[in-house]
Amino acid sequence: MNEKALKTLEYTKIISQLTEFAGSVPGKELCKNLLPSSDLGEIQQMQKETSDALSRIYQKGSISFSGVTDVRGSLKRLEIGSILSIEELLRICRLLETCSRVKAFSRRENAEEAPDSLDGLFEELQPLTLLSSEIRRCIVSEEEISDDATPALRQIRRSIKLTNDKVHSQLSSMVNGSMRTYLQDAVITMRNGRYCIPVKSEHRGQVSGMIHDQSSTGSTIFVEPMAVVKLNNELRELELKEEKEIEVVLSNLSERAAEESEAILEDLKLLTKLDFIFARAQLSKSYNGSEPDFNDQGIVNIKKGRHPLLDKHKVVPIDIRLGDDFNLLIITGPNTGGKTVSLKTVGLFTLMGQAGLHIPAFDHSRLSVFEEVFADIGDEQSIEQSLSTFSSHMTNIVSILKHVNDRSLVLFDELGAGTDPTEGAALAIAILSRLHRENVRAMATTHYSELKVFALTTPGVENGCCEFSVETLQPTYRLLIGIPGKSNAFAISEKLGLPKAVIEEAREQISEQDESFEDLLSDLEHSRVTIEQEQEEIRRYKSEIEGLKKQLELKQQKLENSRENILREANEQALAALREAKEFADTTIKNFNKFGKANISAREMELERSRLREKMSNVEKKLADKKAPAPKKELKARELKIGDSVKVLSLNLKGTVSTLPNAKGDLFVQMGILRSQVNIKDLELLDEPSVTGPGLSKTGTGKIKMSKSSYVGTEINLLGKTTDEAIAELDKYLDDAYLAHIPQVRVVHGKGTGALRKAVHAYLRRAKNVANYRLGEFGEGDAGVTIVEFK
């Protein structure tokens, strides 16, 4: 990218902001040197890295890279066998500690989270914890080595402390004893690394010892008493030993660091790159940016874009399209209306996007990869070069036309301005026509009406304008594509109080053609406003319709759920009632068999019958409480005769009429051995032969029906049986169920290997009394159950 465009479009200011977010000096250097790329793959990779870093920041918060320092110089010294200083070792230690902290930051709380583009960088980090811990153990600060660095160093320092104590003890006794009168001050001081006492010059002969210094006035001399010379010598020897031992410690640490120099250098590179990536993410977060979608077809579609250097709370978002339906956009409108900002927004977004930075716009805004971005924006008058505004602009344009191609983006601000309007407009049209013929993506701002006409009459060229409110005399800063802008000079002047006579005289000065064109623009503007209002109303109606549709779907879903629940509850209640009736019948049979075998008195039998009758009444009352489905046709008493086959709806059982209905419509129905009183409204007449004969017992068919219905259930369980056993039992059960007039039964065979299910289905295909069968649905047992319906 050319330096002029980077400066003109204020890309350098964005880079300055980016640099502030980097935490390390190497990271800041990468930020400062960031330039837009023209490689689509590289751009998409950088954009993905920025997005993934931003996602991690939103999940875990930001991370500091301040401990990353450039240790390449120290690593070079290690290569030639040098011993590193305390400061150098500490810098390596801080680098490794930062590496460990970043590694911990990268760990995911949920192991099932999808990997991102940063995982590889984080995984390659090597914290070298043993080395950093050893450096921290041995080095306390930049001025101090720990006593525990080596046993020898601990012993030497203990000896130094003891010797120091002896020196201070002896000197203190001299200072506070008989020599006090010879001293200038009662203090112990140090000169040339040896302990001394300040003696008055006139008493220099009274204190024996070595003179190391004197005061500037000569009134005080600093004497090392002979009594502590030996101790001072010992102290100096111990200090030399300490220095040698410290050198041994640093040598050992340097040796260990040299063994890991390659890993340390790789950590430095990785951390620098991560710092650079997270700085891009922090910049995106600061202006609420998003990742643009890139293409190489020259298509630009910015949705609600905001110039990143303007106050995000005040700037008006704009929508800009280019390169799809048209390659050349001409923007017109009054000054200070936002034309130049629109140009700079497109140019700056392109540069930022190609540098891997997010743009402050809605998600999935589209940008294209351009090899060069050219911009001629602003007043570039040069006094030094004796260039006027027009000459300066034309110099830039000449340079642009020499280097431009169909992979370039060109931005012109006030093209053709600064000279005669007629000539300037003609030049502007000629320049834009050449760019248009070469399929260059370009945007230009202008006040010339001729360019508006050019855009209206040339395919692939589109007008645009920055909206202006005549009522408030303020620009709205909205960019409208497809509509040429008006200068609004007459309207603004009239609002500001210019006499109407002057305005009318001005109108007379413009040609009829120009006036008609301005009127056409006014009509277009009015039509645009009307269409926008109607579109907004249509959007509102569509939104309301969508809301009503969703409400209707929810209601329908609730009704379906309620229906399923009601049916399920009804079936469960019916099954429970049937089960209770069956248990009651079984108990009755057992009791009567017991009474028949035992020698029971008539009174006891009558008591038992009364108890059973009471229980039967309770069962009948429960059954009557169950809401039965309405009969297909309401029966009348005259339509019934003894022996008719009927269905008791509340019990979902078939039976035979035993007695005719009384005045209330109550009658007795025989259902197997169960003889129950029901109401005629609970009956449905079946089209089957009547059962005749006294006691309804002489008809073989009727007798079989009643006896079978007394014990045949609506379900058979074949689980755990072999295929042969299951088919034999199923054959008998289906015959019994069919004779008992049970309309539908459940065959439980389980899922398993599917062998039993296949055998059951093979048998059902051959069964003559089976109408159809199917696997159970959700709530019926799924594939582990087959539902069978009889003919």
Side-chain angles (χ1 to χ4, degrees):
M1 291 292 173
N2 62 88
E3 290 291 333
K4 182 175 177 56
L6 299 180
K7 182 178 179 182
T8 301
L9 295 172
E10 300 176 291
Y11 174 80
T12 52
K13 292 184 179 179
I14 297 296
I15 292 301
S16 295
Q17 291 183 354
L18 173 66
T19 305
E20 292 299 319
F21 285 108
S24 66
V25 173
K28 289 181 184 293
E29 284 299 316
L30 278 184
C31 292
K32 288 178 183 178
N33 298 325
L34 176 62
L35 291 173
S37 170
S38 56
D39 184 324
L40 180 59
E42 182 183 356
I43 292 168
Q44 290 173 334
Q45 174 65 21
M46 292 181 69
Q47 287 287 347
K48 185 70 169 62
E49 290 171 348
T50 305
S51 297
D52 291 339
L54 183 61
S55 176
R56 288 177 182 259
I57 287 173
Y58 281 130
Q59 288 178 3
K60 294 187 174 183
S62 58
I63 182 169
S64 172
F65 291 86
S66 58
V68 180
T69 54
D70 191 352
V71 296
R72 286 175 295 184
S74 299
L75 296 179
K76 283 286 184 183
R77 294 184 60 208
L78 288 176
E79 288 181 9
I80 60 175
S82 297
I83 298 175
L84 300 185
S85 65
I86 293 177
E87 294 82 358
E88 289 175 305
L89 287 168
L90 283 178
R91 281 200 294 271
I92 290 175
C93 180
R94 283 192 291 268
L95 175 71
L96 296 178
E97 287 172 345
T98 303
C99 182
S100 177
R101 189 171 65 252
V102 172
K103 188 89 170 180
F105 173 84
S106 71
R107 295 190 184 98
R108 299 182 183 275
E109 297 177 1
N110 184 0
E112 297 179 359
E113 287 184 35
D116 61 25
S117 61
L118 303 181
D119 283 340
L121 296 175
F122 284 122
E123 287 173 5
E124 290 178 21
L125 290 173
Q126 302 179 59
L128 303 177
T129 308
L130 292 177
L131 176 58
S132 61
S133 299
E134 182 64 14
I135 293 174
R136 281 294 177 198
R137 185 186 72 81
C138 295
I139 302 177
V140 177
S141 67
E142 294 185 359
E143 294 83 24
E144 184 180 358
I145 298 292
S146 171
D147 294 348
D148 298 326
T150 63
L153 183 61
R154 184 188 304 111
Q155 182 60 41
I156 291 169
R157 287 186 173 173
R158 183 180 293 113
S159 299
I160 289 174
K161 184 176 183 303
L162 291 173
T163 305
N164 261 319
D165 290 343
K166 289 180 182 178
V167 171
H168 275 83
S169 176
Q170 288 205 22
L171 290 178
S172 295
S173 64
M174 293 180 184
V175 166
N176 298 317
S178 58
M179 289 190 181
R180 176 68 184 87
T181 55
Y182 306 137
L183 302 181
Q184 195 76 277
D185 294 297
V187 295
I188 300 171
T189 185
M190 183 169 280
R191 289 292 185 274
N192 300 323
R194 301 179 75 87
Y195 287 104
C196 303
I197 54 176
V199 179
K200 296 176 182 178
S201 296
E202 59 269 24
H203 298 298
R204 60 188 304 171
Q206 307 300 323
V207 180
S208 62
M210 299 174 61
I211 300 174
H212 288 282
D213 197 6
Q214 70 176 4
S215 65
S216 56
T217 60
S219 60
T220 306
I221 58 173
F222 297 94
V223 178
E224 177 185 1
M226 292 302 297
V228 297
V229 168
K230 184 179 179 182
L231 289 174
N232 270 334
N233 290 338
E234 291 178 5
L235 192 59
R236 184 57 185 157
E237 289 175 3
L238 288 172
E239 287 173 350
L240 292 173
K241 288 182 180 180
E242 180 187 27
E243 289 176 5
K244 288 182 180 180
E245 191 60 30
I246 288 174
E247 193 171 329
V248 170
V249 172
L250 296 179
S251 176
N252 292 337
L253 292 177
S254 298
E255 201 172 304
R256 294 190 61 174
E259 294 172 359
E260 304 288 355
S261 59
E262 289 185 6
I264 295 170
L265 182 60
E266 188 62 23
D267 282 343
L268 173 62
K269 293 177 181 177
L270 291 170
L271 289 172
T272 301
K273 185 173 182 180
L274 285 169
D275 186 17
F276 175 45
I277 292 171
F278 276 86
R280 301 199 311 255
Q282 290 283 12
L283 179 66
S284 174
K285 182 183 177 185
S286 69
Y287 51 61
N288 195 24
S290 67
E291 178 184 349
D293 295 335
F294 267 91
N295 64 86
D296 54 6
Q297 288 89 42
I299 299 172
V300 175
N301 187 1
I302 297 172
K303 304 173 185 177
K304 304 298 179 188
R306 308 178 313 277
H307 196 287
L309 297 177
L310 299 178
D311 188 345
K312 62 182 178 182
H313 301 294
K314 295 180 180 179
V315 65
V316 177
I318 57 175
D319 296 323
I320 305 178
R321 293 181 292 113
L322 183 67
D324 192 359
D325 301 329
F326 53 90
N327 295 339
L328 180 57
L329 179 62
I330 297 175
I331 304 174
T332 50
N335 289 330
T336 70
K339 300 192 302 298
T340 304
V341 171
S342 299
L343 284 186
K344 285 189 172 183
T345 299
V346 174
L348 184 56
F349 277 17
T350 298
L351 296 176
M352 289 173 62
Q354 291 184 210
L357 303 177
H358 284 178
I359 59 172
F362 273 15
D363 288 343
H364 300 296
S365 291
R366 301 180 71 188
L367 293 176
S368 179
V369 179
F370 294 106
E371 292 178 355
E372 276 290 355
V373 176
F374 298 100
D376 181 53
I377 298 174
D379 186 0
E380 302 192 12
Q381 187 177 33
S382 173
I383 297 175
E384 292 82 358
Q385 298 178 17
S386 302
L387 293 176
S388 66
T389 301
F390 176 77
S391 300
S392 177
H393 281 298
M394 198 51 59
T395 301
N396 291 337
I397 292 169
V398 169
S399 176
I400 290 171
L401 293 178
K402 283 182 181 178
H403 300 95
V404 75
N405 59 33
D406 62 352
R407 300 277 293 165
S408 302
L409 174 65
V410 181
L411 307 171
F412 291 125
D413 187 27
E414 299 295 347
L415 181 61
T419 187
D420 177 76
T422 304
E423 294 179 354
L427 273 173
I429 292 173
I431 292 167
L432 293 177
S433 295
R434 174 177 169 180
L435 295 176
H436 186 46
R437 286 193 300 272
E438 294 180 3
N439 199 29
V440 177
R441 273 55 175 178
M443 291 176 62
T445 66
T446 184
H447 285 287
Y448 295 144
S449 296
E450 291 86 347
L451 289 180
K452 303 175 190 177
V453 177
F454 169 71
L456 285 171
T457 57
T458 307
V461 183
E462 190 62 85
N463 267 308
C465 70
C466 289
E467 192 178 50
F468 187 87
S469 173
V470 180
E471 286 73 19
T472 61
L473 298 180
Q474 292 292 327
T476 65
Y477 300 104
R478 290 179 60 204
L479 180 64
L480 309 174
I481 294 178
I483 301 169
K486 286 186 63 178
S487 63
N488 294 305
F490 292 160
I492 294 172
S493 301
E494 186 175 355
K495 282 282 185 179
L496 294 174
L498 190 67
K500 287 186 178 181
V502 176
I503 293 173
E504 290 302 324
E505 186 176 349
R507 287 186 190 277
E508 293 174 0
Q509 302 299 319
I510 64 173
S511 67
E512 184 178 345
Q513 182 179 357
D514 290 337
E515 189 172 1
S516 298
F517 183 71
E518 289 296 318
D519 291 340
L520 174 62
L521 294 183
S522 297
D523 292 339
L524 285 172
E525 177 67 11
H526 179 71
S527 299
R528 178 192 65 78
V529 173
T530 304
I531 290 171
E532 280 190 354
Q533 291 173 350
E534 290 176 352
Q535 287 178 339
E536 181 61 33
E537 193 171 355
I538 290 170
R539 280 195 292 269
R540 189 170 64 252
Y541 285 151
K542 284 179 70 176
S543 177
E544 290 177 2
I545 290 170
E546 286 295 326
L548 291 172
K549 183 180 177 183
K550 288 180 181 177
Q551 290 179 10
L552 183 61
E553 288 175 353
L554 287 173
K555 284 185 178 179
Q556 188 68 26
Q557 186 64 37
K558 287 181 180 178
L559 286 174
E560 288 293 329
N561 293 338
S562 300
R563 177 175 173 276
E564 290 178 4
N565 291 335
I566 290 170
L567 288 174
R568 185 165 57 252
E569 290 176 4
N571 287 333
E572 290 173 356
Q573 291 174 357
L575 286 172
L578 183 62
R579 194 178 298 111
E580 189 172 356
K582 181 177 179 299
E583 291 173 358
F584 174 68
D586 291 343
T587 303
T588 302
I589 291 170
K590 290 178 183 177
N591 288 341
F592 276 102
N593 288 337
K594 182 177 70 174
F595 291 148
K597 293 178 182 178
N599 188 15
I600 305 298
S601 65
R603 182 173 177 277
E604 289 176 342
M605 285 186 67
E606 186 61 32
L607 287 173
E608 182 64 21
R609 284 178 61 192
S610 299
R611 188 183 66 76
L612 291 173
R613 191 180 295 110
E614 182 179 354
K615 186 173 182 180
M616 183 175 176
S617 298
N618 292 334
V619 171
E620 289 176 349
K621 185 177 179 182
K622 286 183 180 178
L623 295 176
D625 291 339
K626 310 296 181 185
K627 186 175 181 181
K632 296 179 181 177
K633 179 184 175 184
E634 187 175 346
L635 284 176
K636 296 182 180 178
R638 65 175 178 272
E639 296 176 355
L640 282 178
K641 58 182 181 293
I642 296 175
D644 282 347
S645 294
V646 293
K647 182 177 182 181
V648 181
L649 298 175
S650 61
L651 297 177
N652 195 27
L653 292 176
K654 294 179 181 179
T656 308
V657 175
S658 297
T659 63
L660 295 177
N662 58 19
K664 295 182 179 179
D666 295 332
L667 69 156
F668 281 93
V669 175
Q670 188 76 34
M671 295 166 285
I673 66 166
L674 177 64
R675 187 170 182 268
S676 178
Q677 184 178 21
V678 297
N679 193 275
I680 192 171
K681 294 180 180 179
D682 194 23
L683 296 180
E684 186 177 278
L685 189 61
L686 299 177
D687 188 14
E688 293 181 1
S690 300
V691 181
T692 59
L696 307 175
S697 60
K698 293 185 178 180
T699 301
T701 305
K703 192 172 184 181
I704 290 172
K705 288 179 183 176
M706 288 184 284
S707 63
K708 294 294 181 188
S709 65
S710 66
Y711 66 84
V712 177
T714 60
E715 178 183 297
I716 181 171
N717 191 336
L718 303 178
L719 295 174
K721 294 180 172 57
T722 65
T723 303
D724 294 337
E725 292 172 350
I727 297 303
E729 188 170 330
L730 177 64
D731 180 71
K732 182 178 183 303
Y733 168 77
L734 292 179
D735 285 342
D736 292 344
Y738 178 74
L739 291 174
H741 294 288
I742 299 175
Q744 177 179 291
V745 296
R746 297 171 77 248
V747 180
V748 181
H749 45 66
K751 298 178 181 177
T753 62
L756 186 56
R757 181 178 72 244
K758 290 178 182 177
V760 168
H761 286 186
Y763 170 80
L764 292 175
R765 279 196 295 272
R766 300 190 303 270
K768 295 180 180 179
N769 55 351
V770 173
N772 58 64
Y773 62 94
R774 61 177 174 81
L775 287 175
E777 298 176 350
F778 179 75
E780 293 181 330
D782 294 332
V785 167
T786 296
I787 308 299
V788 182
E789 294 180 5
F790 294 106
K791 293 181 179 177

PDB file of all heavy atoms in Angstrom, residues 210 222 315 318 496 535 537 570 647:
ATOM      1  N   MET A 210      45.208   2.993  61.166  1.00  0.00           N
ATOM      2  CA  MET A 210      45.454   3.383  59.783  1.00  0.00           C
ATOM      3  C   MET A 210      44.482   4.488  59.389  1.00  0.00           C
ATOM      4  O   MET A 210      43.278   4.391  59.623  1.00  0.00           O
ATOM      5  CB  MET A 210      45.265   2.181  58.834  1.00  0.00           C
ATOM      6  CG  MET A 210      46.242   1.038  59.135  1.00  0.00           C
ATOM      7  SD  MET A 210      45.887  -0.420  58.131  1.00  0.00           S
ATOM      8  CE  MET A 210      46.135   0.261  56.497  1.00  0.00           C
ATOM      9  N   PHE A 222      39.679   9.987  59.390  1.00  0.00           N
ATOM     10  CA  PHE A 222      38.956   8.721  59.583  1.00  0.00           C
ATOM     11  C   PHE A 222      39.992   7.621  59.762  1.00  0.00           C
ATOM     12  O   PHE A 222      40.765   7.300  58.840  1.00  0.00           O
ATOM     13  CB  PHE A 222      38.056   8.444  58.379  1.00  0.00           C
ATOM     14  CG  PHE A 222      36.973   9.495  58.219  1.00  0.00           C
ATOM     15  CD1 PHE A 222      37.165  10.592  57.389  1.00  0.00           C
ATOM     16  CD2 PHE A 222      35.792   9.380  58.943  1.00  0.00           C
ATOM     17  CE1 PHE A 222      36.194  11.544  57.273  1.00  0.00           C
ATOM     18  CE2 PHE A 222      34.809  10.348  58.805  1.00  0.00           C
ATOM     19  CZ  PHE A 222      35.000  11.450  57.978  1.00  0.00           C
ATOM     20  N   VAL A 315     -21.482   9.629  16.044  1.00  0.00           N
ATOM     21  CA  VAL A 315     -21.390   9.380  14.614  1.00  0.00           C
ATOM     22  C   VAL A 315     -22.625   8.626  14.125  1.00  0.00           C
ATOM     23  O   VAL A 315     -23.153   7.754  14.823  1.00  0.00           O
ATOM     24  CB  VAL A 315     -20.108   8.577  14.294  1.00  0.00           C
ATOM     25  CG1 VAL A 315     -20.151   7.194  14.919  1.00  0.00           C
ATOM     26  CG2 VAL A 315     -19.913   8.457  12.793  1.00  0.00           C
ATOM     27  N   ILE A 318     -23.539   4.500   8.518  1.00  0.00           N
ATOM     28  CA  ILE A 318     -23.898   4.612   7.100  1.00  0.00           C
ATOM     29  C   ILE A 318     -23.824   3.241   6.440  1.00  0.00           C
ATOM     30  O   ILE A 318     -23.066   2.373   6.870  1.00  0.00           O
ATOM     31  CB  ILE A 318     -22.988   5.605   6.358  1.00  0.00           C
ATOM     32  CG1 ILE A 318     -21.506   5.207   6.486  1.00  0.00           C
ATOM     33  CG2 ILE A 318     -23.204   7.020   6.843  1.00  0.00           C
ATOM     34  CD1 ILE A 318     -20.554   6.064   5.681  1.00  0.00           C
ATOM     35  N   LEU A 496     -32.236  31.282   6.082  1.00  0.00           N
ATOM     36  CA  LEU A 496     -31.349  32.166   6.844  1.00  0.00           C
ATOM     37  C   LEU A 496     -31.750  33.636   6.746  1.00  0.00           C
ATOM     38  O   LEU A 496     -31.121  34.494   7.358  1.00  0.00           O
ATOM     39  CB  LEU A 496     -29.901  31.979   6.363  1.00  0.00           C
ATOM     40  CG  LEU A 496     -29.282  30.594   6.654  1.00  0.00           C
ATOM     41  CD1 LEU A 496     -27.915  30.479   6.019  1.00  0.00           C
ATOM     42  CD2 LEU A 496     -29.181  30.366   8.160  1.00  0.00           C
ATOM     43  N   GLN A 535     -42.261   1.627   3.068  1.00  0.00           N
ATOM     44  CA  GLN A 535     -41.496   0.427   3.377  1.00  0.00           C
ATOM     45  C   GLN A 535     -41.442   0.168   4.875  1.00  0.00           C
ATOM     46  O   GLN A 535     -41.540  -0.974   5.327  1.00  0.00           O
ATOM     47  CB  GLN A 535     -40.081   0.546   2.812  1.00  0.00           C
ATOM     48  CG  GLN A 535     -39.992   0.402   1.307  1.00  0.00           C
ATOM     49  CD  GLN A 535     -38.575   0.570   0.796  1.00  0.00           C
ATOM     50  OE1 GLN A 535     -37.735   1.158   1.476  1.00  0.00           O
ATOM     51  NE2 GLN A 535     -38.303   0.064  -0.404  1.00  0.00           N
ATOM     52  N   GLU A 537     -43.727   1.058   6.992  1.00  0.00           N
ATOM     53  CA  GLU A 537     -45.057   0.583   7.373  1.00  0.00           C
ATOM     54  C   GLU A 537     -45.217  -0.887   6.995  1.00  0.00           C
ATOM     55  O   GLU A 537     -45.765  -1.673   7.761  1.00  0.00           O
ATOM     56  CB  GLU A 537     -46.124   1.434   6.672  1.00  0.00           C
ATOM     57  CG  GLU A 537     -47.522   1.227   7.233  1.00  0.00           C
ATOM     58  CD  GLU A 537     -48.514   2.236   6.684  1.00  0.00           C
ATOM     59  OE1 GLU A 537     -48.093   3.156   5.948  1.00  0.00           O
ATOM     60  OE2 GLU A 537     -49.694   2.107   6.996  1.00  0.00           O
ATOM     61  N   ALA A 570     -57.405 -40.462  29.387  1.00  0.00           N
ATOM     62  CA  ALA A 570     -58.632 -41.242  29.211  1.00  0.00           C
ATOM     63  C   ALA A 570     -58.302 -42.719  29.046  1.00  0.00           C
ATOM     64  O   ALA A 570     -58.965 -43.601  29.640  1.00  0.00           O
ATOM     65  CB  ALA A 570     -59.417 -40.729  28.007  1.00  0.00           C
ATOM     66  N   LYS A 647     -72.220 -52.588  22.985  1.00  0.00           N
ATOM     67  CA  LYS A 647     -70.924 -52.181  23.506  1.00  0.00           C
ATOM     68  C   LYS A 647     -71.149 -51.184  24.635  1.00  0.00           C
ATOM     69  O   LYS A 647     -71.851 -50.184  24.455  1.00  0.00           O
ATOM     70  CB  LYS A 647     -70.082 -51.526  22.418  1.00  0.00           C
ATOM     71  CG  LYS A 647     -68.690 -51.126  22.884  1.00  0.00           C
ATOM     72  CD  LYS A 647     -67.885 -50.563  21.740  1.00  0.00           C
ATOM     73  CE  LYS A 647     -66.473 -50.202  22.177  1.00  0.00           C
ATOM     74  NZ  LYS A 647     -65.675 -49.637  21.073  1.00  0.00           N
TER      75      LYS A 647
END
